[in-house]
Amino acid sequence: MKNLLKLGIALMVVTLSLPLKGQLQNAGTLNEPIDISGDFQSFTNTYYFADALVEFDPVSASGKVEYLRHEYATRQAFNNMLASLVPVRANEFPGNEYEAAPRLPIEIDFVSPRTIRLRMQSGPDQTLAEPSLMLVNGDAPTDQSWVYSAITGGHRYTSAFGSVTIMEKPWHIEFRDANGKLLTKTNHHSDNNGKTYTPVMPFSYVRRAADYSRSFSATLSLSPDEKIFGLGESYTNFNKRGSSVVLCTDDANGIQNETMYKPIPFYMSSNGYGVFMHTSTPITADFGKYFSGVQQLMIGDESLDLFIFLGNPKEILDAYTDLTGKAAMPPLWSFGFWMSRITYFSEIDGRTVTKKLRDNKIPCDVIHFDTGWFETDWRCDYKFSETRFDDPAKMITDFKKDGFETCLWQLPYFVPQNSLFKEIVEKGLYVKNPKGNLPYEDAVLDFTNPKTVEWYQGKIAALLKLGVGAIKVDFGEAAPYNGIYANGRTGFYEHNLYPLRYNKAVSDITYETNGERIIWARSTWAGSQRYPLHWGGDPANSNTSMAATLRGGLSIGLSGFTFWSHDIGGFVEACPEELYARWTPFGMLSSHTRSHGAPPTEPWEYSNDFLKSFRNATNMRYQLMPYIYSQSKHASENGLPMMRALFVEFPDDPGAWLIDNQYLFGADILVAPLFEETQSRDVYLPGKGMWFDYQTGKSYAPGWHHIEAGEIPVVMLVREGAAIPHIKLAQSTKFMDWNKIELKIYGKSDARTLICLPDQQELKELNIEKGKLVLNPFTNVEFKIVK
């Protein structure tokens, strides 16, 4: 076995000594995200401006909009070439066979008292209606509470939470809150023409000269102080106002560039609304970058399908996840610590690490084998190496007895030397190019093919039946754009859906086999939040990457994802000890927590001081497990993130909307990580109540403070009136005693908390008055109250 360990180390050294490379962006290389914004700036294309509502039925809220043709023209002035959008005549022959000013369908549906659906067509639609994988029930429900009224020059529908007004000419749709405040409205050419020298593309669609394909630009107004959040796991600036965001799933090769593993076509505005772009095509969303007064949603689809949500951040997230699905509650053990590196190669590696975790009293619930558990590193054949694993089934069983679940890495791409490659090709289980061949050298599984899903799930099920607890659902961002999929669609429509199909396939078979909703996935699209959980890709080992990690976590949390994790310390290189120490409590105070990346990641491979610090942070997490689990249950039922932007809980605090380097862990704990080599930092405390340092007990009023970190290198505060549930420390969640829970009160003697017991799955609120529990709804649980 010593020789096997040496072999594993040698393989690891070879793997990690290869030069680091990533995709050069904006260079036209393979699988680069598609940015369609250039199609709306071309002098060869024709643009059809939504001009007037020419037909409308108030009962069905449907009708037709007339579109007027425009093109770009140039004008030279003072040695500067200017562009403008000018009306043009029809260019078809015979002219009497085609509409010069097309009149095309518009339909408004009311999904709930907060949710409006807007659908428009740029031409005939011969596609058959089919359930949408992005919507939890395949389609949207209808709501009858909206009341119609005719107004001068238009139509208005009103609910308890706002109104939608459709003006006939010039055509506008206005969205207002219950007080009549304008939230946003469609942009008409007359809003720009003669009022700015900048050629602004109004609400319109483009017809490309190259192939006559069409795409929409849903152009809406922006208010002066409006801020935009969400759009998936975006690691750039948190507030997207002033940015242009390409929503196209990409193997980003890191987290400090503008491309994303997890783009989500949903965002929310500080103005009181959210927007879901219901499409799987590439999207470029410009939020006032080109022109500060408008947001331009350039959607690849030839049909437009928007959902608009009215409300505050919690209400918007609840409505959005009602539509696209709320996160399932993962098993208790998944909330424990996951120990990993790239990679453990053998049974002896796994047994050594699990033993050292217990010997060093580092609580842990999961041991993860990354790319090296096959005979050939990275060559996924779903089989444990016969030369490095003596008895995988016994190993997994032994791990379970000691409180560990096993997680295994895999991917949906198969190299030509893979023993499964021939079978995949012969059975036609791969995505094909237009000729029917392989688009790449690898075979990429086609999850639109039911036979592929059945074949693939059979491979995964065999591992789960062996006792494996979770499958790492890695990659999934490289579905061929030029591929022809089994459902007849091209990669233009299937590339972004690939992660959702991939997530679903693994989650479904895991639930069918083990009865648990748990995966560990990297790529996503809208709806993937139903299949927890996801982690944040491959961060560098740096302060700026740590800060970017938080921005990505906050952003995906504002995109409907309750659960999310990241690689503690970064992935690319061996993490410097000081950075690893600061990153650890940030990771421990995330919904799920894993150390992973280039070795060493194991805490005993660093100094004794680090080992103690790591143990303290991990112990804190395990003692907080009743809080973490209960808050997770509440978050999953309401579409809320566990890693929560301050303004989600404090929407009326203007300062809360400006913070991107702190977060709320659940509803009651505020976390301010140390992003630099320091022992203190500035912290903004939102709201009106007092805040209490979790480690020192010191109290702080709302506002800005400079606060020292405690023994655990993080600033962590609890809001006044919270009772934080704790449990006796155990080395695995499997060994925890949930019959005894301690409630620590912060602030006054009156407090409240939420409790969900893993074996009951029912969330209940506990109230404390004058230091005493008003009512204990759990007959078998003893609560101890500590001030």
Side-chain angles (χ1 to χ4, degrees), residues 155-276:
H155 312 267
R156 179 169 294 150
Y157 296 86
T158 306
S159 80
F161 303 111
S163 66
V164 179
T165 302
I166 307 104
M167 302 305 298
E168 294 175 348
K169 189 175 177 62
W171 177 77
H172 282 110
I173 300 182
E174 301 172 352
F175 302 93
R176 299 178 184 271
D177 67 13
N179 296 318
K181 173 191 171 184
L182 179 65
L183 306 178
T184 190
K185 67 174 184 177
T186 58
N187 180 269
H188 187 271
H189 187 42
S190 62
D191 297 331
N192 317 310
N193 194 28
K195 299 175 182 178
T196 175
Y197 294 117
T198 304
V200 177
M201 184 65 64
F203 204 108
S204 58
Y205 68 87
V206 59
R207 187 186 70 190
R208 297 173 181 84
D211 59 4
Y212 253 44
S213 64
R214 306 179 302 277
S215 295
F216 265 96
S217 172
T219 308
L220 306 170
S221 64
L222 283 170
S223 298
D225 294 323
E226 189 170 350
K227 302 167 185 64
I228 302 293
F229 301 94
L231 298 163
E233 188 190 69
S234 174
Y235 293 101
T236 58
N237 47 306
F238 183 38
N239 174 12
K240 296 300 184 284
R241 178 69 182 265
S243 300
S244 181
V245 182
V246 175
L247 297 173
C248 210
T249 308
D250 180 52
D251 183 348
N253 281 280
I255 66 164
Q256 290 175 271
N257 57 65
E258 63 185 356
T259 68
M260 287 184 268
Y261 303 105
K262 305 175 187 66
I264 303 295
F266 166 81
Y267 64 93
M268 67 170 63
S269 163
S270 61
N271 226 28
Y273 68 94
V275 176
F276 171 44

